[in-house]
Amino acid sequence: MRLARWIDHLPLWVAFGAAVSTDIYEPGELAVMALPLVAAAVVEALRWDLGRHHRWLEAGALVFFLADLARGRGIFPVAIHTLFVLAGMRLVLPRALPQRRQLVLMGFLLFLTTAVSTTDLVFLAWALLWLGSAAAALLQQSWEGSASLRRGVLSPPPYARIPGWIGATLLIGATFFLILPRLQAGFRPAAFMGTASAAGRAGFGDQVDLAGGGPIEPNPEVVLRIAPPSGTDPATVPGLDLLRGLALETVQGPRWSVWDQTPAGGRGPQGGAGAGRAEFLFYPSAQGILTLPYGTTGLAPDMPLRRGGGGSIRWRFPRTSPMPLEVTWIPGDAGPAEAALSSRRLEHLLELGPEHEAARRWSLRLAPGILPTPELARTLERSLRGFRYTLDNPSGRAANPLEDFLDRTQAGHCEYFASAMALMLRARGVPARVVNGFRLGPWIPEGGYFRVSQDQAHSWVEYWDQGRWQVADPTPAAAGLDPRESQPSLGFLSRWLDTLRYEWDRHVVRFSDQDQVAGLSWIQARIQGWEWRWKAPSARLSWGLALAAAAWIAWRTRRFWRPTPAGPGAVRALRPLLARTRRVAAPLAGETARAWLLRLATLRPERAGTLLELAGRVDAEVYGGRNGAASAMAKAEAAAWRGWKASVPPGGTARSHSTSGNH
C-alpha cells in the first residue's frame, strides 16, 4: 500500500495537535515540536534514503538536547522537545517493525504529557483521534506480517473496525469513570514551563500600565460562567453589570498598582428581599482572584479563601480545575462599605505627579467651577464618554500616554478612561482609585448562563463620597452593550459548543465521589420503588420458548460439541474447504487428507496444481509441525469453490456439469 508508511506519522501529528489545543506552549516551542515532523514528511514524500547519515543525525539530536538544556527552561520542556526531535529522526531513517513500534510509544508519551495538563472537552476529541491513529498504526504493523503469508494481492487491513474499538473503549472508560474513586493529581505543566505570553492581549490583571505598546488583541479564554436558577429570565438578574476584582490606589507615572494597606471591603447584610443568587463557575487563573458583583453577601460552600491586596478575595491555594461557588448579593450601584478615611489614606488617594498635569488641566476644562462631588463625577464621566473607544492603543508608545490620550488622540481602551477620570477627580480633591474586573458577558440561552471571557476584562473608577465608595464608568457604552438587551455576539454553533463545554465542566470535570453516592442512591431508590407489573406467560408458552432457545443454541454451537470427523476433518486448516465441498465431495471412510484433495483435483482439473500444493502444505503442517502454513491457502481455496456445483450419479463419482466460480 502506498499510504502504509504514512500511518507511522499519524500518532505523532495527533499528539502535536493535542499539544496545540491546550494553549500552554509558546509559539516558539510549538515550532520546535512541528519542525522535525514537517522534515520527516518531506523526506517521506521525496523518498530520500538518509540511512547512511544516521551518525550525523544522532550527533545533531545530542547537540540540540544540550543546547535546549543550557537554556534553563526546566527538564520537562526539554524532554518534550527532545522526544519530538527523536521521533522525527526515527521517521526519516529506515525503519523496521521494532522502530515502527517505537514511534507509537513516542507518540503515546507525548500525548500523555498533554493529557495531564487539560480537562477541556476539545481534548476528548483529540484523545479519540489519537486512539484511532495508534490503533491504525498497530493494526498496520500486525496485519502486514500475516498478510505476507497469503497468496495474491495484498489486502488492506480492516480499518473499518477501528470506530467500533474506539466506541467500546469510550464505553469502558465511561463505566470506569462512574464507578472508580475520584482522583485528582493537580498536575499542570503550565506551572513550570513556558506558556503563551499574555502581553498585548485582552485580559484581567492586577495592575494597569498605560505604556502598553501596540494594539490589544482579543482573548476569548473563558474565565467565568454565571448560571442563575433554572428558568430565570436573564433580564431580571440585576447587579451583574460589573464584577469587581481589586482596587488600584497607587499611581506612579502611567502605572497603577495595589497599595498594600488597602483594607478589605465590608460585606452587606445577609440575605434580604430582592437578593440575587447564582452559581459562579470560576476557571483557573494566574492571579486566583474572585471577581464578584457589588453587594456580595455570601459565598457557599465554605472554601479556603483569603483577603489579598486591593481588597480582593483570592483562593488560598492555586486552582487547577473549574470551581463553583453559590454567590448571593444585594443589587445596587454603591461600592464596598468602609470606615472613614484616615489622614494617611486620604493623602495617598489624592497623590498626583508632575506627569499628570494634563489630567488637572482637562478636569478644569470639562468641569469648570466648584461642583459637588456627585455632580463633578457625573460631568467628567459624561464628558469622557464622548471620546472614542478602541483597542488599537494609539497612545501606548507615547512618552506620556495619558497626556497623549487627552491632548491628541482622545481614543483608547478602558484603562485610559478609568485612569483619566480617577486622576481628574484627585486633581479636584476627591479621593479616587481604579478598579479592575469584568463586564458581564453574553447570555447563552442554550445553556442558561452568562459567559464571561478575557475579552470582557474592564477597568472603571471608584470615588469616595458620603462615607462610602461610589462607582463611575467613563468608558463609552459602545465598548460593551448590555448583553441582556442585545443579541449575543456568539453565533449559533459557537453557543452550542460553549454549552457543551459548560456541561462537560459541570458533569464530568466536577464529577466527585459525592456525585457517585448521589447517583447510586438514586438508582437504589428507583429499584426499591419499582413495582413488577408484567404478567408472566403461560407454562406452555414458557416451555416452548425455552426449548426453541435451547435448539437455537445447540445449532449455533454444533461445531463445538460435534465429534471431530476422521480423515481430512481432523486437520483444522481444511475445515473451511470441507464446509464448501461437503455436498459435492464429502470425505470417504478411511480417506486421508491428501487422497481427498487429489479427488477434488479430479473434479476441477483447472485447480489441480493449487490442490497439490495445498496437500504438500497440509502434510508439512501435520507431520512437520509448521503452524499456519496451510491455513491461509486453504481459506483461499475455499473461496475459489464458492458457487461451484456438481452432479453425482448414483453409486458413481462426482461429475462436473458447471465450473462457475473463481478460477
Side-chain angles (χ1 to χ4, degrees):
M1 296 175 60
R2 293 185 301 172
L3 301 179
R5 295 185 64 82
W6 286 101
I7 295 178
D8 294 338
H9 296 247
L10 282 180
L12 295 165
W13 276 107
V14 175
F16 172 73
V20 173
S21 69
T22 60
D23 290 330
I24 66 174
Y25 297 98
E26 294 180 354
E29 291 178 317
L30 294 177
V32 171
M33 299 175 190
L35 188 59
L37 302 184
V38 173
V42 172
V43 171
E44 194 76 62
L46 299 178
R47 297 183 177 274
W48 288 344
D49 184 7
L50 302 182
R52 61 182 181 277
H53 304 299
H54 68 97
R55 297 294 184 188
W56 290 103
L57 293 174
E58 293 169 358
L62 179 60
V63 170
F64 171 83
F65 169 75
L66 295 176
D68 201 18
L69 191 63
R71 295 173 60 198
R73 301 295 297 273
I75 191 61
F76 190 83
V78 172
I80 294 178
H81 300 162
T82 305
L83 265 178
F84 271 103
V85 170
L86 292 177
M89 186 179 67
R90 174 49 58 200
L91 286 171
V92 302
L93 292 175
R95 54 188 186 271
L97 184 59
Q99 289 75 29
R100 298 174 67 185
R101 290 175 177 170
Q102 289 176 9
L103 288 171
V104 178
L105 178 60
M106 290 180 180
F108 172 73
L109 293 176
L110 291 170
F111 178 79
L112 192 62
T113 60
T114 306
V116 298
S117 63
T118 182
T119 56
D120 190 73
L121 174 62
V122 176
F123 190 78
L124 175 63
W126 283 106
L128 297 179
L129 281 175
W130 192 90
L131 180 62
S133 64
L138 293 174
L139 180 62
Q140 176 71 29
Q141 295 167 15
S142 61
W143 184 263
E144 289 177 351
S146 60
S148 61
L149 301 176
R150 301 184 179 94
R151 301 185 63 188
V153 180
L154 184 64
S155 60
Y159 293 124
R161 298 182 182 181
I162 293 179
W165 296 344
I166 295 176
T169 304
L170 191 61
L171 180 61
I172 295 173
T175 303
F176 282 125
F177 173 79
L178 292 174
I179 64 176
L180 289 180
R182 303 271 67 76
L183 296 175
Q184 183 176 3
F187 174 71
R188 290 179 65 86
F192 55 91
M193 68 191 310
T195 58
S197 175
R201 301 186 68 189
F204 176 82
D206 53 7
Q207 65 178 3
V208 167
D209 188 0
L210 300 183
I216 305 298
E217 298 179 0
N219 185 359
E221 178 186 357
V222 177
V223 295
L224 176 64
R225 288 186 171 96
I226 305 174
S230 179
T232 302
D233 183 359
T236 63
V237 186
L240 291 178
D241 298 331
L242 293 176
L243 304 173
R244 188 180 188 274
L246 80 168
L248 308 174
E249 298 184 354
T250 300
V251 58
Q252 294 178 344
R255 178 175 300 174
W256 290 81
S257 57
V258 171
W259 193 40
D260 295 337
Q261 301 183 33
T262 301
R267 293 282 183 88
Q270 297 294 322
R277 180 171 61 88
E279 180 191 74
F280 281 52
L281 181 61
F282 293 95
Y283 287 79
S285 64
Q287 299 85 7
I289 297 176
L290 276 64
T291 51
L292 300 168
Y294 281 101
T296 296
T297 60
L299 301 174
D302 187 16
M303 299 296 294
L305 303 174
R306 65 180 177 87
R307 294 287 182 175
S312 61
I313 301 177
R314 305 172 183 244
W315 298 111
R316 187 173 296 276
F317 307 105
R319 310 303 308 183
T320 58
S321 61
M323 179 58 59
L325 288 177
E326 191 77 18
V327 180
T328 55
W329 70 95
I330 297 178
D333 294 332
E338 193 174 319
L341 299 180
S342 64
S343 58
R344 183 183 179 188
R345 184 85 186 286
L346 183 62
E347 180 182 357
H348 186 76
L349 288 167
L350 292 175
E351 284 183 353
L352 283 176
E355 64 273 16
H356 304 142
E357 183 60 29
R360 190 186 307 275
R361 288 188 287 102
W362 274 87
S363 174
L364 296 173
R365 181 185 302 180
L366 298 177
I370 300 175
L371 299 175
T373 297
E375 185 177 348
L376 173 63
R378 286 193 296 269
T379 302
L380 295 176
E381 182 182 37
R382 184 171 55 252
S383 300
L384 284 172
R385 286 186 177 182
F387 288 16
R388 183 170 61 91
Y389 178 88
T390 178
L391 292 178
D392 293 338
N393 198 10
S395 300
R397 300 184 184 278
N400 190 332
L402 181 66
E403 183 180 34
D404 189 76
F405 166 71
L406 292 172
D407 293 341
R408 186 181 68 87
T409 64
Q410 296 185 0
H413 49 76
C414 59
E415 294 178 352
Y416 284 89
F417 290 91
S419 298
M421 182 173 178
L423 293 173
M424 288 178 186
L425 288 171
R426 288 189 176 192
R428 303 293 286 272
V430 179
R433 60 190 184 184
V434 173
V435 179
N436 278 1
F438 290 96
R439 272 179 167 161
L440 190 62
W443 172 256
I444 308 297
E446 291 79 6
Y449 60 88
F450 294 101
R451 177 185 184 272
V452 181
S453 68
Q454 294 286 8
D455 285 332
Q456 278 80 46
H458 191 51
S459 297
W460 60 93
V461 175
E462 288 179 355
Y463 63 93
W464 183 259
D465 182 54
Q466 299 177 4
R468 67 179 302 120
W469 291 102
Q470 307 294 335
V471 178
D473 188 1
T475 305
L481 298 176
D482 188 342
R484 292 167 294 189
E485 298 177 358
S486 61
Q487 293 295 328
S489 58
L490 299 177
F492 175 78
L493 180 60
S494 299
R495 296 199 307 271
W496 268 110
L497 290 176
D498 194 77
T499 300
L500 287 176
R501 286 190 174 95
Y502 173 67
E503 297 296 336
W504 172 266
D505 292 333
R506 190 173 188 178
H507 300 295
V508 177
V509 178
R510 291 160 47 192
F511 190 79
S512 63
D513 49 357
Q514 290 86 354
D515 297 317
Q516 287 179 327
V517 173
L520 293 175
S521 300
W522 181 86
I523 295 175
Q524 183 179 10
R526 292 299 183 275
I527 293 177
Q528 291 177 348
W530 184 33
E531 296 181 3
W532 184 268
R533 298 181 179 178
W534 181 66
K535 185 178 180 180
S538 62
R540 292 183 179 180
L541 180 59
S542 299
W543 279 108
L545 292 175
L547 291 175
W552 181 81
I553 293 174
W555 172 256
R556 297 294 297 179
T557 60
R558 63 188 184 279
R559 64 179 182 275
F560 298 110
W561 50 263
R562 188 172 56 193
T564 301
V571 183
R572 180 179 295 273
L574 292 179
R575 290 181 183 178
L577 184 58
L578 279 169
R580 291 291 183 189
T581 60
R582 189 176 301 279
R583 294 186 177 182
V584 297
L588 302 176
E591 190 174 26
T592 64
R594 171 174 285 276
W596 176 69
L597 290 172
L598 293 177
R599 185 156 59 87
L600 290 180
T602 61
L603 295 178
R604 297 189 62 177
E606 75 280 0
R607 303 209 57 81
T610 304
L611 290 170
L612 286 174
E613 183 180 356
L614 177 59
R617 295 199 179 192
V618 168
D619 291 342
E621 180 173 321
V622 173
Y623 303 110
R626 299 179 186 175
N627 296 326
S631 299
M633 190 172 181
K635 290 180 181 179
E637 185 62 28
W641 282 77
R642 182 178 301 168
W644 191 84
K645 299 179 181 179
S647 60
V648 181
T653 305
R655 177 176 55 85
S656 171
H657 68 85
S658 174
T659 58
S660 63
N662 297 324
H663 297 284

